[in-house]
Amino acid sequence: MRLSALAAGLGLALGAGTALAQGAAGFGIELVDQGGEEVSAALRILLALTVLSLIPAILVAMTAFTRIIIVLSMLRHALGMQETPPNMVLIGLALFLTLFTMLPVVNQVNERAFTPYLGGTLPLRDAAEQAVGPLRDFMVRQTREQDLALMVELSKAAPPATIEDIRLVQLVPAFMLSELRSAFQIGFVVFLPFLLIDLVISSVLMSMGMLMVPPIVISLPIKVLMFVLVDGWTLIVKSLIGSFA
């Protein structure tokens, strides 16, 4: 139920209903009024297919997924293991961490837009507007003012006076830039202890005259042992989730 609410809620958050309603006239699909604004069966199917096709883009561009998966990937490189853990494991972990991080937003979207829309008490256009609010608030909290100002400048638009005036076409790329910056900052901190171990091992091997022994052969098991002893996965997960507070 949570996953379905996430998928549908984030789809509504893009304002897909508004865009589809505007494009419906070109296909001869009309909205009919039966005690409230309802959508024809054909448009409902079109909306569902559109939401399904946009879920990967929404997940990457408008949620915590980007920061989490970049940090996990940098951790793998810092350990010196290019294929361990496998991509499938990292993506699965990143998806569930994203769900935990976005759970308050998902609950708000579910209560304000998804459930009323399924119950027939809220039209599609209003549901899309209600769904945008929590997601917009989340992205604004994680977006730096400099990145948002850059996107507004590039779009040649007037500076927004309120949060509601920020257009998604400006907010989404600014949010992604901020997420990339935050991910690289966290990744740099993660890299430092492993880099120190590599430097120490290289210096020891050089002082012993063992120039033909690759440092990675010695440093890799030491880095894995250190990471396990300090309960590294727990620390990384707690730091990632805490960075969105």
Side-chain angles (χ1 to χ4, degrees):
M1 181 60 186
R2 293 295 188 190
L3 293 177
S4 63
L6 175 64
L10 292 178
L12 289 172
L14 271 182
T18 303
L20 289 173
Q22 293 175 347
F27 294 92
I29 303 175
E30 298 180 354
L31 300 179
V32 296
D33 187 7
Q34 297 178 352
E37 191 180 48
E38 295 292 341
V39 185
S40 64
L43 188 55
R44 287 179 183 272
I45 296 175
L46 182 60
L47 173 61
L49 294 177
T50 302
V51 169
L52 289 176
S53 64
L54 291 176
I55 284 178
I58 297 171
L59 182 67
V60 172
M62 303 176 70
T63 70
F65 180 81
T66 298
R67 183 188 305 187
I68 294 172
I69 193 63
I70 289 177
V71 172
L72 293 179
S73 299
M74 294 182 72
L75 171 63
R76 183 171 64 178
H77 285 286
L79 284 169
M81 297 183 293
Q82 304 302 321
E83 300 296 334
T84 305
N87 291 333
M88 188 67 69
V89 175
L90 290 185
I91 293 175
L93 179 59
L95 285 174
F96 278 97
L97 292 180
T98 301
L99 179 60
F100 294 149
T101 303
M102 301 296 296
L103 199 56
V105 177
V106 172
N107 289 334
Q108 293 180 32
V109 172
N110 185 44
E111 294 173 1
R112 298 182 186 180
F114 184 56
T115 300
Y117 173 68
L118 290 183
T121 60
L122 192 66
L124 177 61
R125 187 184 301 271
D126 293 340
E129 293 177 355
Q130 290 293 327
V132 167
L135 194 57
R136 184 194 301 273
D137 292 340
F138 170 80
M139 289 192 292
V140 168
R141 287 197 307 270
Q142 306 300 326
T143 303
R144 298 192 311 151
E145 293 183 4
Q146 299 92 318
D147 295 329
L148 183 57
L150 174 63
M151 290 299 107
V152 172
E153 179 182 354
L154 292 178
S155 64
K156 298 182 176 12
T162 62
I163 294 180
E164 289 73 18
D165 295 334
I166 303 175
R167 300 170 57 190
L168 288 181
V169 71
Q170 301 165 350
L171 180 57
V172 171
F175 170 74
M176 294 187 69
L177 287 177
S178 298
E179 288 295 284
L180 289 173
R181 178 185 175 88
S182 299
F184 275 78
Q185 288 176 339
I186 299 174
F188 173 76
V189 176
V190 170
F191 253 100
L192 285 180
F194 299 107
L195 178 61
L196 180 62
I197 292 176
D198 286 333
L199 290 176
V200 171
I201 296 299
S202 299
S203 299
V204 171
L205 291 177
M206 186 174 297
S207 64
M208 296 176 62
M210 302 175 64
L211 301 180
M212 300 301 294
V213 178
I216 188 66
V217 175
I218 308 298
S219 63
L220 179 58
I222 295 178
K223 288 189 289 187
V224 172
L225 177 62
M226 184 201 72
F227 191 70
V228 172
L229 290 178
V230 301
D231 200 6
W233 287 112
T234 300
L235 294 176
I236 293 293
V237 170
K238 289 176 63 176
S239 299
L240 281 173
I241 300 299
S243 66
F244 290 97

